[in-house]
Amino acid sequence: MNKKWMILGSVLFLCASGMLYYFTQVKNEKNDDWEIVDVYEEEKVCLEDSIDTAEKIAEETIKVYICGAVQSPGVYEVKVSDRLVDLVDLCEGLCEDADKNALNLAAHLNDGEKIYIMTTEEANTVSNMSSKTETIADGRININTADVDELMSLPGIGKAKAEHIIAYREKTKRFESVEEITSVDGIKNGVYEKIKELIKIE
């Protein structure tokens, strides 16, 4: 009889332990689920706030002054997110002689900025001035950019030879080496020896 009660007691103990373990696991799983939901809600709120902030910034406006080769120069109010192409549209486009190749129409705009659109003629003048400044600073003549007067400053180079150098350059697009100048009509080794230390290609 005692043995039966012992067996019955063992069975009841095991059942009680199993039920306790089950309810404990269920409770833990529910807690984990609630924690996942809480994290998701926090991330969702944070994302919504970020989107709202970005939209507000995009709607902010700045003022930019554009002048030069444009149809209607002046001060324009644009969005912070606008680019140069949007500003050009506002001022009714570029003039026919505007140097379009030098423009980065995707450029961002800044508050209080002044943008000057050069004509093709102005851009070429600036480019030529830059080439001459480079020659003066370096002390050598760049045979890929020098004009007739600059080339004539070299020993043994008169107007005819200078014109031959420019004609050769226009035909071949550019000199690839200093030594290539000997391929120009009238430029022999004697002349080259006099000028080789005074010229460059870039």
Side-chain angles (χ1 to χ4, degrees), residues 66-85:
I66 185 169
C67 57
V70 292
Q71 298 293 344
S72 299
V75 177
Y76 290 87
E77 187 171 1
V78 296
K79 294 179 181 178
V80 171
S81 58
D82 282 347
R83 306 294 182 98
L84 180 56
V85 65

Side-chain angles (χ1 to χ4, degrees), residues 155-170:
I157 304 296
K159 186 175 181 180
K161 286 186 174 66
E163 290 175 346
H164 285 319
I165 292 171
I166 292 176
Y168 179 90
R169 185 176 72 202
E170 291 175 348

Side-chain angles (χ1 to χ4, degrees), residues 143 175-182 192 196 199-201:
I143 57 177
F175 289 96
E176 297 299 332
S177 67
V178 170
E179 293 81 0
E180 190 180 348
I181 199 170
T182 57
Y192 174 67
K196 66 180 182 180
I199 58 176
K200 63 181 181 179
I201 59 170

